[in-house]
Amino acid sequence: MDGRVPKRKTSAESKAESRAESEAEGAETRAGSRAETKRPGAVLRLPVGERIDLSSYDASATPVGPADKRAGRTATAALAPRLAELQERLYAASTAGDRRRLLLVLQGMDTSGKGGTLKHVISHFNPAGCRVHAFKAPTPEESAHPFLWRVTQALPHPGEIGIFDRSHYEDVLVARVRALAPPAEIDDRYADIAGFEKSLVDNGVTLVKVFLHISYEEQRARLLARLDNPAKHWKFSPGDIDDRALWPAYQKAYEVAMERCATDRTPWYLVPADRKWYRNWAISRLLLEHLEELDPQYPKGDFDMAECRRRLLTE
């Protein structure tokens, strides 16, 4: 110590310092509040009408919501009761003529987790109210019709939640990369898809289109894991390795499809999928947001409750 007495702050200096501290605390509170109230759908939604560069999105990111696996699993489990209730209300409303339904479209590179997501999503709901369809290579019958024909056969009915493991987008993805159709025909399909999706929304379908974004490195790790596990060999094909050589072409095909087939009513959502727990939370949250926006209601009974009660009590 040098023996000098610290200079006392003036009243004005103390007030200014107190004001600065208060403003800093307020800024932190507002920032925290924004983080808490930010809707995941708004963060994960891809911009409409802009160029999309998938390489600019980190497939291992957690851009909104829980930041670690334990918190993510806890948060996902907490969503289940509310999702189950909203599904029941959606189905119940359909018995009174409500024609609304929801369709979750899952797209992504091999091993991005479409099947795992499907299994996870189904666990939230009553399977009786879900309609699930996995699209493979077209059958001879399907090939004899316009490419959207087989999709219309698999659409959810009023009150149902539909889930597509791959979809009509395969006809502008695989078909483009592997030149399965002339470029002019593929170009026409983008407009066909946009028109088809508009008609779905116009007829009460809430469309939730999700691209499961996996990295090149994570795909390799998951393919190696399948090779190392005999119980997963049925999910592996040497062709999966061949397709990795086409990774840039597939990424470009996805970018074009998501640019040309998105509107404010039919947007795309990009979910980072390297972390399976985050993928599951994000999909669950997106479904919850859309179901809450629908806000389906239980239909009112069209019977005399008092009379029915009396009859039951006097049996």
Side-chain angles (χ1 to χ4, degrees), residues 57-76:
Y57 293 89
D58 183 355
S60 65
T62 56
V64 64
D68 61 69
K69 183 185 291 188
R70 176 178 292 183
R73 287 180 169 175
T74 300
T76 303

PDB file of all heavy atoms in Angstrom, residues 57-76:
ATOM      1  N   TYR A  57     -23.910 -24.142 -43.943  1.00  0.00           N
ATOM      2  CA  TYR A  57     -24.622 -24.578 -42.749  1.00  0.00           C
ATOM      3  C   TYR A  57     -23.843 -25.706 -42.066  1.00  0.00           C
ATOM      4  O   TYR A  57     -23.488 -26.701 -42.700  1.00  0.00           O
ATOM      5  CB  TYR A  57     -26.029 -25.071 -43.106  1.00  0.00           C
ATOM      6  CG  TYR A  57     -26.951 -23.975 -43.599  1.00  0.00           C
ATOM      7  CD1 TYR A  57     -27.021 -23.655 -44.956  1.00  0.00           C
ATOM      8  CD2 TYR A  57     -27.751 -23.255 -42.717  1.00  0.00           C
ATOM      9  CE1 TYR A  57     -27.857 -22.653 -45.416  1.00  0.00           C
ATOM     10  CE2 TYR A  57     -28.592 -22.244 -43.163  1.00  0.00           C
ATOM     11  CZ  TYR A  57     -28.639 -21.953 -44.517  1.00  0.00           C
ATOM     12  OH  TYR A  57     -29.473 -20.956 -44.973  1.00  0.00           O
ATOM     13  N   ASP A  58     -23.595 -25.549 -40.791  1.00  0.00           N
ATOM     14  CA  ASP A  58     -22.852 -26.534 -40.015  1.00  0.00           C
ATOM     15  C   ASP A  58     -23.778 -27.679 -39.615  1.00  0.00           C
ATOM     16  O   ASP A  58     -24.754 -27.471 -38.877  1.00  0.00           O
ATOM     17  CB  ASP A  58     -22.274 -25.859 -38.770  1.00  0.00           C
ATOM     18  CG  ASP A  58     -21.420 -26.801 -37.929  1.00  0.00           C
ATOM     19  OD1 ASP A  58     -21.349 -27.996 -38.245  1.00  0.00           O
ATOM     20  OD2 ASP A  58     -20.832 -26.323 -36.932  1.00  0.00           O
ATOM     21  N   ALA A  59     -23.480 -28.894 -40.089  1.00  0.00           N
ATOM     22  CA  ALA A  59     -24.343 -30.041 -39.822  1.00  0.00           C
ATOM     23  C   ALA A  59     -24.282 -30.513 -38.374  1.00  0.00           C
ATOM     24  O   ALA A  59     -25.124 -31.312 -37.951  1.00  0.00           O
ATOM     25  CB  ALA A  59     -23.973 -31.202 -40.754  1.00  0.00           C
ATOM     26  N   SER A  60     -23.310 -30.029 -37.613  1.00  0.00           N
ATOM     27  CA  SER A  60     -23.204 -30.417 -36.208  1.00  0.00           C
ATOM     28  C   SER A  60     -23.653 -29.308 -35.266  1.00  0.00           C
ATOM     29  O   SER A  60     -23.526 -29.425 -34.045  1.00  0.00           O
ATOM     30  CB  SER A  60     -21.760 -30.811 -35.863  1.00  0.00           C
ATOM     31  OG  SER A  60     -20.895 -29.690 -35.976  1.00  0.00           O
ATOM     32  N   ALA A  61     -24.205 -28.252 -35.817  1.00  0.00           N
ATOM     33  CA  ALA A  61     -24.592 -27.094 -35.015  1.00  0.00           C
ATOM     34  C   ALA A  61     -25.843 -27.364 -34.182  1.00  0.00           C
ATOM     35  O   ALA A  61     -26.621 -28.284 -34.466  1.00  0.00           O
ATOM     36  CB  ALA A  61     -24.830 -25.886 -35.920  1.00  0.00           C
ATOM     37  N   THR A  62     -26.011 -26.550 -33.148  1.00  0.00           N
ATOM     38  CA  THR A  62     -27.249 -26.541 -32.359  1.00  0.00           C
ATOM     39  C   THR A  62     -27.709 -25.084 -32.321  1.00  0.00           C
ATOM     40  O   THR A  62     -27.548 -24.405 -31.307  1.00  0.00           O
ATOM     41  CB  THR A  62     -27.004 -27.082 -30.941  1.00  0.00           C
ATOM     42  OG1 THR A  62     -25.964 -26.316 -30.316  1.00  0.00           O
ATOM     43  CG2 THR A  62     -26.576 -28.546 -30.983  1.00  0.00           C
ATOM     44  N   PRO A  63     -28.251 -24.584 -33.421  1.00  0.00           N
ATOM     45  CA  PRO A  63     -28.508 -23.145 -33.565  1.00  0.00           C
ATOM     46  C   PRO A  63     -29.578 -22.574 -32.651  1.00  0.00           C
ATOM     47  O   PRO A  63     -29.649 -21.361 -32.457  1.00  0.00           O
ATOM     48  CB  PRO A  63     -28.917 -23.017 -35.032  1.00  0.00           C
ATOM     49  CG  PRO A  63     -29.464 -24.363 -35.389  1.00  0.00           C
ATOM     50  CD  PRO A  63     -28.628 -25.342 -34.622  1.00  0.00           C
ATOM     51  N   VAL A  64     -30.423 -23.423 -32.097  1.00  0.00           N
ATOM     52  CA  VAL A  64     -31.481 -22.957 -31.202  1.00  0.00           C
ATOM     53  C   VAL A  64     -31.868 -24.132 -30.323  1.00  0.00           C
ATOM     54  O   VAL A  64     -31.747 -25.284 -30.721  1.00  0.00           O
ATOM     55  CB  VAL A  64     -32.694 -22.437 -32.010  1.00  0.00           C
ATOM     56  CG1 VAL A  64     -33.347 -23.548 -32.823  1.00  0.00           C
ATOM     57  CG2 VAL A  64     -33.728 -21.769 -31.114  1.00  0.00           C
ATOM     58  N   GLY A  65     -32.301 -23.833 -29.098  1.00  0.00           N
ATOM     59  CA  GLY A  65     -32.724 -24.912 -28.223  1.00  0.00           C
ATOM     60  C   GLY A  65     -31.604 -25.460 -27.362  1.00  0.00           C
ATOM     61  O   GLY A  65     -30.579 -24.805 -27.155  1.00  0.00           O
ATOM     62  N   PRO A  66     -31.775 -26.686 -26.849  1.00  0.00           N
ATOM     63  CA  PRO A  66     -30.789 -27.274 -25.937  1.00  0.00           C
ATOM     64  C   PRO A  66     -29.425 -27.421 -26.589  1.00  0.00           C
ATOM     65  O   PRO A  66     -29.312 -27.687 -27.777  1.00  0.00           O
ATOM     66  CB  PRO A  66     -31.397 -28.648 -25.584  1.00  0.00           C
ATOM     67  CG  PRO A  66     -32.362 -28.936 -26.685  1.00  0.00           C
ATOM     68  CD  PRO A  66     -32.891 -27.615 -27.112  1.00  0.00           C
ATOM     69  N   ALA A  67     -28.372 -27.255 -25.767  1.00  0.00           N
ATOM     70  CA  ALA A  67     -27.013 -27.246 -26.300  1.00  0.00           C
ATOM     71  C   ALA A  67     -26.250 -28.537 -26.066  1.00  0.00           C
ATOM     72  O   ALA A  67     -25.151 -28.704 -26.580  1.00  0.00           O
ATOM     73  CB  ALA A  67     -26.229 -26.081 -25.697  1.00  0.00           C
ATOM     74  N   ASP A  68     -26.817 -29.468 -25.277  1.00  0.00           N
ATOM     75  CA  ASP A  68     -26.107 -30.727 -25.054  1.00  0.00           C
ATOM     76  C   ASP A  68     -27.095 -31.892 -25.038  1.00  0.00           C
ATOM     77  O   ASP A  68     -28.307 -31.684 -24.958  1.00  0.00           O
ATOM     78  CB  ASP A  68     -25.284 -30.696 -23.764  1.00  0.00           C
ATOM     79  CG  ASP A  68     -26.146 -30.484 -22.528  1.00  0.00           C
ATOM     80  OD1 ASP A  68     -26.921 -31.385 -22.163  1.00  0.00           O
ATOM     81  OD2 ASP A  68     -26.056 -29.399 -21.921  1.00  0.00           O
ATOM     82  N   LYS A  69     -26.551 -33.100 -25.102  1.00  0.00           N
ATOM     83  CA  LYS A  69     -27.387 -34.291 -25.261  1.00  0.00           C
ATOM     84  C   LYS A  69     -28.356 -34.489 -24.099  1.00  0.00           C
ATOM     85  O   LYS A  69     -29.543 -34.773 -24.309  1.00  0.00           O
ATOM     86  CB  LYS A  69     -26.507 -35.526 -25.418  1.00  0.00           C
ATOM     87  CG  LYS A  69     -27.304 -36.809 -25.654  1.00  0.00           C
ATOM     88  CD  LYS A  69     -26.424 -38.045 -25.695  1.00  0.00           C
ATOM     89  CE  LYS A  69     -25.549 -38.068 -26.930  1.00  0.00           C
ATOM     90  NZ  LYS A  69     -24.829 -39.358 -27.080  1.00  0.00           N
ATOM     91  N   ARG A  70     -27.869 -34.341 -22.879  1.00  0.00           N
ATOM     92  CA  ARG A  70     -28.751 -34.576 -21.734  1.00  0.00           C
ATOM     93  C   ARG A  70     -29.924 -33.601 -21.728  1.00  0.00           C
ATOM     94  O   ARG A  70     -31.081 -34.005 -21.562  1.00  0.00           O
ATOM     95  CB  ARG A  70     -27.960 -34.450 -20.427  1.00  0.00           C
ATOM     96  CG  ARG A  70     -28.837 -34.583 -19.175  1.00  0.00           C
ATOM     97  CD  ARG A  70     -28.023 -34.502 -17.896  1.00  0.00           C
ATOM     98  NE  ARG A  70     -27.156 -35.662 -17.756  1.00  0.00           N
ATOM     99  CZ  ARG A  70     -26.382 -35.875 -16.699  1.00  0.00           C
ATOM    100  NH1 ARG A  70     -26.370 -34.991 -15.699  1.00  0.00           N
ATOM    101  NH2 ARG A  70     -25.611 -36.946 -16.634  1.00  0.00           N
ATOM    102  N   ALA A  71     -29.622 -32.319 -21.935  1.00  0.00           N
ATOM    103  CA  ALA A  71     -30.691 -31.315 -21.972  1.00  0.00           C
ATOM    104  C   ALA A  71     -31.628 -31.564 -23.148  1.00  0.00           C
ATOM    105  O   ALA A  71     -32.840 -31.385 -23.043  1.00  0.00           O
ATOM    106  CB  ALA A  71     -30.090 -29.921 -22.056  1.00  0.00           C
ATOM    107  N   GLY A  72     -31.053 -31.997 -24.275  1.00  0.00           N
ATOM    108  CA  GLY A  72     -31.866 -32.257 -25.457  1.00  0.00           C
ATOM    109  C   GLY A  72     -32.837 -33.399 -25.257  1.00  0.00           C
ATOM    110  O   GLY A  72     -34.016 -33.316 -25.625  1.00  0.00           O
ATOM    111  N   ARG A  73     -32.362 -34.476 -24.662  1.00  0.00           N
ATOM    112  CA  ARG A  73     -33.244 -35.624 -24.435  1.00  0.00           C
ATOM    113  C   ARG A  73     -34.339 -35.291 -23.423  1.00  0.00           C
ATOM    114  O   ARG A  73     -35.488 -35.709 -23.579  1.00  0.00           O
ATOM    115  CB  ARG A  73     -32.418 -36.810 -23.959  1.00  0.00           C
ATOM    116  CG  ARG A  73     -31.573 -37.435 -25.065  1.00  0.00           C
ATOM    117  CD  ARG A  73     -30.760 -38.607 -24.572  1.00  0.00           C
ATOM    118  NE  ARG A  73     -30.161 -39.349 -25.679  1.00  0.00           N
ATOM    119  CZ  ARG A  73     -29.332 -40.361 -25.529  1.00  0.00           C
ATOM    120  NH1 ARG A  73     -29.002 -40.786 -24.307  1.00  0.00           N
ATOM    121  NH2 ARG A  73     -28.835 -40.982 -26.593  1.00  0.00           N
ATOM    122  N   THR A  74     -33.963 -34.524 -22.411  1.00  0.00           N
ATOM    123  CA  THR A  74     -34.961 -34.116 -21.425  1.00  0.00           C
ATOM    124  C   THR A  74     -36.027 -33.225 -22.060  1.00  0.00           C
ATOM    125  O   THR A  74     -37.225 -33.402 -21.829  1.00  0.00           O
ATOM    126  CB  THR A  74     -34.280 -33.364 -20.259  1.00  0.00           C
ATOM    127  OG1 THR A  74     -33.333 -34.234 -19.630  1.00  0.00           O
ATOM    128  CG2 THR A  74     -35.309 -32.919 -19.230  1.00  0.00           C
ATOM    129  N   ALA A  75     -35.576 -32.283 -22.872  1.00  0.00           N
ATOM    130  CA  ALA A  75     -36.514 -31.364 -23.530  1.00  0.00           C
ATOM    131  C   ALA A  75     -37.417 -32.103 -24.506  1.00  0.00           C
ATOM    132  O   ALA A  75     -38.614 -31.803 -24.614  1.00  0.00           O
ATOM    133  CB  ALA A  75     -35.734 -30.264 -24.254  1.00  0.00           C
ATOM    134  N   THR A  76     -36.869 -33.078 -25.220  1.00  0.00           N
ATOM    135  CA  THR A  76     -37.668 -33.838 -26.178  1.00  0.00           C
ATOM    136  C   THR A  76     -38.733 -34.654 -25.464  1.00  0.00           C
ATOM    137  O   THR A  76     -39.902 -34.696 -25.888  1.00  0.00           O
ATOM    138  CB  THR A  76     -36.761 -34.769 -27.007  1.00  0.00           C
ATOM    139  OG1 THR A  76     -35.767 -33.992 -27.664  1.00  0.00           O
ATOM    140  CG2 THR A  76     -37.572 -35.516 -28.058  1.00  0.00           C
TER     141      THR A  76
END
